[in-house]
Amino acid sequence: MTEPSATPSNVEITYESDDTRVVAQTFTRPNGQTLTVSHCHPDALRHHYTPGELGEDLRLYSGGFVNGHGKYYTGNVGFTWHPSPRVQVTGTRELTDDDYNDLFPDDATRTGIWSDIHEVLVEQPDSLVPQQPQDVSVAAAPETNYESIADRVAGQIGNSKADLDSLTFLIPNGWEAYDASYICNAHNPVQRWSGRTTTAGDGWTITFDRLQPMDSQAWRQLRDSAGIRFTHVGQLVRTDGSTFTSEQALNVLERIRIGLALALGRRTSCFLPVGYRNDKPVWALWQGYPVDPFTRVSSHWLDTLVASRQLASILAKVLDFTAQEDRRDALTHALAYYIPTNTGFDAALGVALPISGLQLLSFFHFVTEGPVSATCWERQNDHTEDEVRKLLTTMNVSTPVPTHFTNLATVQARLPTQRDALGTIIYMRNHIIHPVKGRPGKYTHKEWAESSILANYWLGLALLHLIGYNDDIAAVLQARVLHEGDERREVPWALTNLGTPWATAT
C-alpha cells in the first residue's frame, strides 16, 4: 500500500462532524491576495489488493500453500489476465521417495474432457486474509530433487461462514461517467476527481469508485489497445447496516455482473471480492471470469455524460428484478444473445441472435409472466415475426426502415412483397436459419451490418423494458454522427400509455 502523504502547508483539514471533513487549500496570488478552495468530498474506496496498470498482473500471496492434491509448496499466488483472467499458483517443494510414483499417474484413471480447477489452502496468520505481498523475489529451485508447479486455481480464502459487514471488489474495463460525484485521495485529500456512482436495490447498497489513474489518457489508451485493466473499486453493504454471509454476497455479485453486462453491452465482472468484519479482511474469493475488451458498440444506448445516473438506475432495477430466480434466468439467457452481437460476431449471425433473443423475451412476457398459455401461444403465432412484432408493439417501438439505413432499404426494395424493417430482417434471418436451395440469400456486408445494428438495438430496448427502465437513452440510431450527449431521448414506452414495463406493471 502507498504510505500516507504529509499534508501540504497550505492545506487545512477540519471536521464539522464525524461524517463531514472539510479540506481547505489556500493559494496566494501574485498581488498578495489569497484564495481558498475547499471541499467535503469523501475518500475514494480502497481494496485489499492494489490494482496494477494496463495488462499488469497482481500478486495475491507469497509463502506456503497446499495445492489441490494435498501437497505443500512454497511459492506465489497471483492474478493474471493472460491467456484469460485467472488465478494461478507457482511453487516448488522438495521430493521424497514416496513422491516419485505420483509423478507418473495412470492414464486409465482419467475420464471425461474436463480438468479440475483446484482450490488452494494458504497460511493465514490470525485467520485473516493475507496482505498483498510487496516486492517479493523468489529464489530458483535447485535443479534436482525438487518439483515445480504452475497451476490454475480458484477458491475461497478465510472463513466462508463469517458474518460480513462490508465487501469490496475490483471491476475491469468499466465505464466513463462525467456525471459521477466527487471523491478524493485518502492519503492526499487535496486530490479529487469525479468518480463515484451509488445505487441501491433489493436491500443492498452498491458504491463504485473510479480509480484515480483512470484519467482521459488512460481511458484512451485502454480503448485504443482493446486492452484490459481494473478501472473501478466496488463496495457492497446491506442498506439497513445488517451483516450478511459470503454466500449472500456472491449471489448479489452475480446479479451486479448481469446489470453491468446490460449497462455496458459487454462482459465484465466483480473480481477478487474481499469481505470484512469490523474492518478486518476475513474472507476472499480468488477466481477469474471472462472480460471483453474495452470497446464501444454502435447500437448501445449508454451516454458518457449521464452514464453514472443511467448505470445507477439500471443496477437498481436489475437487483430488484432478479430477486426472483426465474426472472434472473430469463434476463441472463436474453443477454447471451445481446452481448455477442455487440462484441464482434459475424454480421450475418448478428441478425439471427437478436431475433432469437426477442423471441425469448416475447414468450417470457406473454406466456411465462402473462395470461397466454403455451398452447394458445403456438396457435396464435404462425411465424417468428408474429411473436417479435407483438413484443415490439407492446413496447411502442416503431418498425419502419430508418431513412439513413440505405443498405437495409435496398434489401427491402428487392423483396417480392412489401415489408417493414422487421419483416425485412426476418426475411434475411430465415436465409440463415432455414436455408433453401435455389433461394437467393446473398447480401453485402453493409446490408447485414445495418440489419444487425437495428435488430440488436431492438433487443437492447426489450431488455430495458424487461427490468422496468424508464430513464432516457442515447439516440444512437441518428442519421448523423453526434458527439456524446448531443441528443438523448426517452425510451419508447415512456411516450405513451402503451408498453408498461413488466417490473412496474400492476
Side-chain angles (χ1 to χ4, degrees):
M1 296 292 184
T2 305
E3 293 297 326
S5 302
T7 303
S9 58
N10 66 332
V11 175
E12 181 181 7
I13 299 177
T14 58
Y15 292 86
E16 294 183 351
S17 67
D18 292 340
D19 299 326
T20 304
R21 177 193 59 194
V22 180
V23 179
Q25 186 172 22
T26 302
F27 302 91
T28 301
R29 295 173 174 174
N31 61 5
Q33 293 181 333
T34 59
L35 172 66
T36 300
V37 179
S38 62
H39 73 79
C40 303
H41 306 314
D43 290 340
L45 295 172
R46 301 180 68 205
H47 188 51
H48 188 71
Y49 302 112
T50 302
E53 302 294 330
L54 179 65
E56 184 179 352
D57 297 339
L58 273 69
R59 194 182 300 277
L60 305 177
Y61 171 79
S62 183
F65 63 87
V66 177
N67 76 338
H69 299 290
K71 297 179 179 180
Y72 183 87
Y73 292 81
T74 300
N76 301 291
V77 182
F79 177 85
T80 181
W81 295 113
H82 305 289
S84 62
R86 63 182 63 193
V87 175
Q88 289 186 327
V89 295
T90 57
T92 60
R93 72 185 187 95
E94 187 174 4
L95 291 173
T96 65
D97 292 341
D98 293 336
D99 289 322
Y100 285 99
N101 289 333
D102 296 335
L103 297 177
F104 306 97
D106 183 3
D107 288 340
T109 63
R110 298 177 180 176
T111 60
I113 63 174
W114 299 99
S115 60
D116 294 331
I117 300 177
H118 297 290
E119 291 196 30
V120 61
L121 302 177
V122 303
E123 297 173 341
Q124 298 171 251
D126 303 322
S127 299
L128 300 178
V129 177
Q131 291 295 321
Q132 184 177 18
Q134 302 292 323
D135 301 325
V136 175
S137 60
V138 181
E143 295 182 359
T144 60
N145 205 36
Y146 270 75
E147 178 192 13
S148 298
I149 65 165
D151 197 10
R152 180 179 180 180
V153 298
Q156 301 185 52
I157 307 299
N159 183 4
S160 62
K161 303 298 182 182
D163 290 329
L164 310 176
D165 50 39
S166 67
L167 180 142
T168 61
F169 51 91
L170 295 170
I171 295 177
N173 289 8
W175 58 94
E176 295 179 86
Y178 299 151
D179 63 325
S181 60
Y182 272 86
I183 48 180
C184 64
N185 187 327
H187 296 320
N188 185 2
V190 172
Q191 298 177 356
R192 53 180 177 162
W193 64 96
S194 172
R196 174 163 292 185
T197 297
T198 303
T199 189
D202 193 35
W204 298 89
T205 296
I206 302 100
T207 302
F208 303 98
D209 280 359
R210 174 173 61 84
L211 294 170
Q212 187 176 6
M214 292 307 302
D215 55 16
S216 57
Q217 182 178 352
W219 285 115
R220 189 180 307 110
Q221 182 184 21
L222 182 59
R223 185 183 308 110
D224 292 345
S225 65
I228 188 169
R229 68 176 295 175
F230 290 120
T231 60
H232 291 77
V233 177
Q235 182 188 62
L236 175 68
V237 296
R238 294 291 294 175
T239 303
D240 62 5
S242 60
T243 61
F244 53 92
T245 65
S246 60
E247 183 178 1
Q248 291 173 314
L250 290 175
N251 175 278
V252 178
L253 293 178
E254 171 62 16
R255 291 154 63 191
I256 293 174
R257 181 198 66 79
I258 294 171
L260 290 176
L262 174 56
L264 304 180
R266 47 184 168 79
R267 294 176 300 175
T268 187
S269 197
C270 305
F271 280 75
L272 302 175
V274 176
Y276 305 88
R277 178 69 172 175
N278 298 326
D279 294 326
K280 294 183 178 181
V282 297
W283 172 86
L285 175 66
W286 293 346
Q287 185 170 318
Y289 305 91
V291 178
D292 290 319
F294 183 82
T295 56
R296 292 179 179 169
V297 291
S298 58
S299 61
H300 204 55
W301 46 268
L302 199 67
D303 187 333
T304 298
L305 291 187
V306 293
S308 181
R309 188 191 75 203
Q310 290 177 309
L311 191 135
S313 177
I314 284 290
L315 284 172
K317 297 290 186 182
V318 167
L319 286 174
D320 288 336
F321 185 81
T322 57
Q324 298 181 33
E325 189 171 358
D326 58 339
R327 287 184 161 193
R328 181 176 62 194
D329 290 344
L331 179 56
T332 300
H333 297 325
L335 278 169
Y337 292 103
Y338 181 63
I339 300 301
T341 307
N342 275 337
T343 53
F345 260 148
D346 180 86
L349 189 56
V351 171
L353 288 178
I355 295 301
S356 295
L358 287 164
Q359 194 174 12
L360 181 158
L361 292 180
S362 185
F363 185 91
F364 185 79
H365 177 72
F366 291 104
V367 179
T368 305
E369 294 211 334
V372 183
S373 68
T375 302
C376 291
W377 182 252
E378 292 179 1
R379 282 202 306 264
Q380 293 173 4
N381 302 284
D382 294 330
H383 305 287
T384 299
E385 182 177 341
D386 297 334
E387 300 177 11
V388 174
R389 191 175 297 280
K390 280 185 171 65
L391 179 62
L392 296 182
T393 300
T394 298
M395 293 162 48
N396 195 33
V397 172
S398 58
T399 57
V401 175
T403 56
H404 56 293
F405 276 46
T406 56
N407 294 280
L408 182 57
T410 300
V411 177
Q412 181 187 40
R414 296 202 307 262
L415 299 186
T417 57
Q418 187 174 2
R419 296 170 180 259
D420 62 0
L422 176 61
T424 303
I425 291 172
I426 293 288
Y427 187 90
M428 298 173 68
R429 172 256 190 193
N430 288 343
H431 288 158
I432 305 170
I433 305 300
H434 310 294
V436 175
K437 185 176 181 179
R439 183 173 64 184
K442 292 186 177 180
Y443 303 98
T444 68
H445 173 75
K446 290 183 178 180
E447 290 170 346
W448 279 121
E450 290 186 1
S451 300
S452 174
I453 290 170
L454 187 55
N456 213 43
Y457 177 71
W458 288 337
L459 178 55
L461 289 179
L463 288 165
L464 296 179
H465 186 265
L466 171 69
I467 64 170
Y469 180 84
N470 275 305
D471 211 328
D472 56 7
I473 55 177
V476 295
L477 295 186
Q478 64 273 9
R480 62 187 180 90
V481 177
L482 301 175
H483 296 292
E484 289 194 67
D486 280 358
E487 184 177 344
R488 288 189 295 273
R489 59 178 298 237
E490 292 184 290
V491 287
W493 50 90
L495 304 178
T496 70
N497 293 325
L498 295 175
T500 302
W502 306 348
T504 59
T506 56

